[in-house]
Amino acid sequence: VSERSRIEMYLSKLYLIMNDSSMSPLERAQTSIMKLGKLDKNEVITPKILVDKMISKLDENDIKNAESILEVNSKTCEFLVGIHEKYGKEIAKKVKVIASSSMSKHFIKMILKMLELDESNLIEINDTENYNIKDFLDMDNNDILKENGGKKFDICLMNPPYGSTGGDTLHLRFVEKCLSVAKKQIVVMPFTFVTKVNNKPAQKYKEKFDKYLIEIQEEDYKQFSNTNMPNVGIYVFDSNKKDSQD
């Protein structure tokens, strides 16, 4: 089945949900995310239980007072929807979303429409069908910050992408990038990053990230169904931590 056919199949399901008047806007969005499930082997939607735990790592005052929130590598606005559920639409309006792929952009736009939010909540890095989340790494930091008036985002929430080999550091490069454009970052990645680092490239990132790390919480890998991911950790980074220590 081609990607275009799969997109059309998924969109047809979402159209039915979007027009279901028996549900609230939030319920439509939540139901849509559950229906989509796992888009393909490289597009695993972050489970709601994990989304909620990651959002709970943020102090209520911090998130309510935040002027800007960034969701990176989004498949279906999982974190935006989680924030909408816990804090309401007005806080959810502050969330800017960067899609994981050209496929996910279609779903994100529909979820935003269901929630009666503007499409401008989606940051368009590359508006072609060849868009890949890796384009985010090549994007100039100043261009990302322009989406927030030239300032760092207050909060970043992310389930990063991974490379095809165990020694790949793709997810760590995303953490590094987000530390450059956000003050606080909540990210999920393998717990082995702190317990077992087997290669020099990953060790280099660990030494750098230790300066910003303020909390780790281990979670059961079973929350990612149909993946071979080991136990994961919810990591909380604060890019201001090192500055305050200097």
Side-chain angles (χ1 to χ4, degrees):
V1 180
S2 68
E3 180 172 300
R4 171 54 58 185
S5 297
R6 284 193 295 127
I7 289 173
E8 291 176 352
M9 177 184 69
Y10 285 130
L11 288 178
S12 64
K13 292 180 180 180
L14 298 192
Y15 276 121
L16 291 174
I17 297 169
M18 187 167 65
N19 294 314
D20 188 340
S21 60
S22 68
M23 292 189 281
S24 69
L26 179 58
E27 288 171 335
R28 290 174 199 152
Q30 292 170 326
T31 302
S32 296
I33 292 173
M34 287 189 291
K35 289 286 186 183
L36 288 171
K38 185 176 180 180
L39 304 181
D40 66 30
K41 65 180 181 179
N42 297 316
E43 295 270 16
V44 181
I45 295 173
T46 311
K48 184 181 186 303
I49 187 172
L50 196 52
V51 168
D52 291 343
K53 286 184 178 183
M54 290 172 72
I55 292 173
S56 72
K57 290 297 176 185
L58 294 163
D59 182 87
E60 184 172 343
N61 288 328
D62 284 348
I63 199 162
K64 286 185 175 180
N65 294 330
E67 295 180 5
S68 56
I69 303 169
L70 183 65
E71 176 177 345
V72 176
N73 196 41
S74 177
K75 289 82 176 176
T76 56
C77 298
E78 302 100 299
F79 294 104
L80 183 153
V81 171
I83 287 171
H84 191 302
E85 178 183 10
K86 187 169 184 177
Y87 294 106
K89 183 178 179 179
E90 290 306 307
I91 302 295
K93 285 180 179 179
K94 300 177 182 180
V95 182
K96 293 282 188 176
V97 179
I98 294 178
S100 62
S101 65
S102 56
M103 181 196 299
S104 66
K105 283 198 290 188
H106 293 281
F107 308 136
I108 287 169
K109 288 178 180 178
M110 187 164 283
I111 297 290
L112 290 173
K113 190 172 183 179
M114 288 180 188
L115 292 172
E116 300 171 353
L117 294 176
D118 197 271
E119 270 193 21
S120 63
N121 283 69
L122 172 64
I123 296 176
E124 289 274 13
I125 295 175
N126 179 340
D127 60 4
T128 72
E129 287 300 315
N130 295 321
Y131 167 72
N132 185 295
I133 184 59
K134 292 180 184 178
D135 295 341
F136 174 68
L137 294 175
D138 298 326
M139 193 174 181
D140 188 278
N141 287 347
N142 289 326
D143 290 333
I144 299 171
L145 298 178
K146 282 179 185 176
E147 299 287 342
N148 189 40
K151 301 180 295 182
K152 274 190 172 185
F153 286 84
D154 292 307
I155 297 164
C156 174
L157 291 152
M158 176 175 65
N159 176 7
Y162 292 85
S164 57
T165 64
D168 201 297
T169 59
L170 180 62
H171 58 298
L172 304 179
R173 290 163 62 199
F174 270 81
V175 174
E176 180 180 48
K177 182 75 169 180
C178 291
L179 282 170
S180 300
V181 298
K183 298 174 185 176
K184 182 171 282 189
Q185 181 179 174
I186 318 294
V187 61
V188 58
M189 57 184 180
F191 190 69
T192 49
F193 179 61
V194 293
T195 60
K196 185 179 180 182
V197 178
N198 292 322
N199 60 82
K200 289 184 178 179
Q203 182 64 42
K204 178 192 73 173
Y205 285 102
K206 183 179 185 303
E207 291 170 359
K208 180 174 183 178
F209 296 165
D210 279 347
K211 303 170 186 175
Y212 306 106
L213 184 63
I214 58 176
E215 184 183 353
I216 311 168
Q217 178 178 319
E218 187 175 9
E219 292 293 335
D220 195 317
Y221 77 95
K222 294 183 181 66
Q223 292 179 4
F224 283 97
S225 59
N226 302 318
T227 73
N228 293 318
M229 184 177 285
N231 278 26
V232 298
I234 296 175
Y235 294 74
V236 182
F237 296 100
D238 187 339
S239 65
N240 292 325
K241 179 186 175 188
K242 179 176 178 292
D243 296 336
S244 65
Q245 292 176 339
D246 291 345

